[in-house]
Amino acid sequence: MVAVAAEETLEAHLERFAVQGFTVMRSVFNPDEVARMLAASERLVSKVRADPKSFEAPTVPRYTDRTEGALDTWGVDNMFAPRLYEPELGAIFGHEKFMAFSHAFLGPNLRFWAAHLLWSPERTSYQLGWHKDQHDNEQYDPTGGSRHVQFNVCLTGDKSFRAIPGSHRRPMTDAERAAVTTDSPAPLAGEVQVECEAGDVIYMNHHMVHRGTCEPGQFRRTLHMNVQSMEEETGGQTSYSYMREPGYLESIDPALAALMRKAIEWDDAHPVDRAEARRRMRISHDLRRSTAGADK
């Protein structure tokens, strides 16, 4: 289990993010803020669990069990879509302390990338295989630089996150590449497990080799999100159609709306060709069909 000091400077967190690929900032949100977001997350979880099959892209539930009559979920994608939007969660990007890290690392000109809600399954534990996000397994930067910041906002105690520190700055080892290629959750040399309390935030580089795990008895509620610099040359096309619907951006938190407007601006300036669109649709289809059960 990795230990992190309770009080550190922002500069220390920026350095750790570059060197090891993630850092944990403690008590970013106070107990009252956590309570409000937790209540909002419970409304969202209840809505998805009541009828997960009724949700379609982009609000796709994540499953540990897809057996008819025994559906078990561990999260849902695109929690800011109109059907799921909760104002207490939408306001997070206007939280100065929370956004201080991303602004310090990336600058002020940011765009929205993703926002999902993750939770503990009810019956079937999950073991995610080792992976790098964005499906670019060979990408790394020896300097530890990045034009994105991904984060887990922990609304409960959370020990789900496992990572290989420094793996975002070098080629993968043969063992890592084999694990990523086969989606294996088997232990890897150098892995660490990160333990957080409610209100803590894990800021991470999504090119680091990492995975997640959670048992039904662990009550977990975590916001899993990502912002990118407008200077990032890849990773766009997340301006989903609901963001362009008349009145939507005016109905949500202004800070979130500003990030989404930047996502729309970037996507419109960087159209995807037909072959790439087909590749992304294929990946999306595979993810929607996948489960993350303990029998992996």
Side-chain angles (χ1 to χ4, degrees), residues 2-292:
V2 65
V4 181
E7 294 291 340
E8 292 187 286
T9 65
L10 179 58
E11 289 72 22
H13 284 293
L14 294 169
E15 176 67 16
R16 182 178 294 110
F17 182 86
V19 172
Q20 73 174 18
F22 72 94
T23 190
V24 181
M25 295 186 71
R26 302 294 184 182
S27 301
V28 174
F29 296 93
N30 65 43
D32 288 342
E33 292 168 333
V34 170
R36 289 195 296 271
M37 289 193 292
L38 187 57
S41 76
E42 288 308 284
R43 292 192 292 270
L44 199 156
V45 172
S46 296
K47 186 179 295 186
V48 175
R49 281 180 169 170
D51 189 10
K53 282 194 170 182
S54 72
F55 287 86
E56 300 291 341
T59 55
V60 182
R62 301 183 179 200
Y63 292 93
T64 59
D65 190 346
R66 297 175 67 96
T67 305
E68 193 66 36
L71 296 176
D72 200 4
T73 59
W74 65 279
V76 68
D77 291 354
N78 282 291
M79 66 182 189
F80 294 142
R83 187 177 176 187
L84 294 176
Y85 184 78
E86 291 283 344
E88 293 84 356
L89 302 180
I92 192 169
F93 290 104
H95 191 283
E96 184 175 353
K97 186 175 181 180
F98 168 65
M99 290 300 294
F101 180 90
S102 296
H103 285 141
F105 198 83
L106 299 175
N109 198 14
L110 305 181
R111 71 181 192 261
F112 177 85
W113 167 248
H116 315 311
L117 178 61
L118 310 180
W119 56 76
S120 44
E122 294 182 285
R123 295 172 299 277
T124 304
S125 63
Y126 72 81
Q127 296 283 344
L128 295 185
W130 292 104
H131 63 280
K132 292 188 175 190
D133 292 332
Q134 210 169 312
H135 314 290
D136 189 351
N137 292 335
E138 300 301 330
Q139 187 163 344
Y140 65 93
D141 185 334
T143 71
S146 173
R147 290 196 174 100
H148 73 267
V149 173
Q150 186 159 287
F151 27 82
N152 284 355
V153 179
C154 303
L155 303 181
T156 60
D158 195 321
K159 55 182 180 181
S160 295
F161 184 64
R162 299 170 185 263
I164 310 295
S167 55
H168 64 303
R169 296 188 294 118
R170 56 166 174 77
M172 288 187 290
T173 66
D174 290 343
E176 290 166 355
R177 185 171 290 104
V180 168
T181 301
T182 61
D183 198 29
S184 169
L188 284 176
E191 73 173 87
V192 298
Q193 182 181 15
V194 181
E195 187 164 1
C196 295
E197 300 296 333
D200 296 348
V201 179
I202 306 173
Y203 297 89
M204 72 187 81
N205 184 318
H206 67 206
H207 296 305
M208 176 182 58
V209 178
H210 64 281
R211 73 182 192 91
T213 177
C214 190
E215 301 294 329
Q218 301 169 3
F219 182 67
R220 184 195 191 202
R221 301 291 187 267
T222 295
L223 311 180
H224 179 61
M225 301 184 289
N226 187 313
V227 293
Q228 297 190 350
S229 166
M230 287 293 280
E231 296 178 1
E232 170 62 65
E233 297 177 354
T234 63
Q237 289 72 47
T238 61
S239 58
Y240 296 100
S241 59
Y242 66 82
M243 298 179 189
R244 300 170 184 260
E245 292 176 359
Y248 171 76
L249 293 177
E250 290 72 29
S251 72
I252 63 174
D253 184 84
L256 173 60
L259 291 171
M260 288 184 173
R261 287 191 177 95
K262 287 291 188 179
I264 292 171
E265 176 187 333
W266 193 96
D267 286 1
D268 287 350
H270 300 81
V272 175
D273 62 35
R274 188 170 299 178
E276 177 64 11
R278 285 197 297 267
R279 185 186 75 87
R280 295 185 185 194
M281 288 181 63
R282 183 169 59 253
I283 291 171
S284 179
H285 179 70
D286 291 344
L287 289 173
R288 288 198 297 273
R289 295 182 60 191
S290 68
T291 60

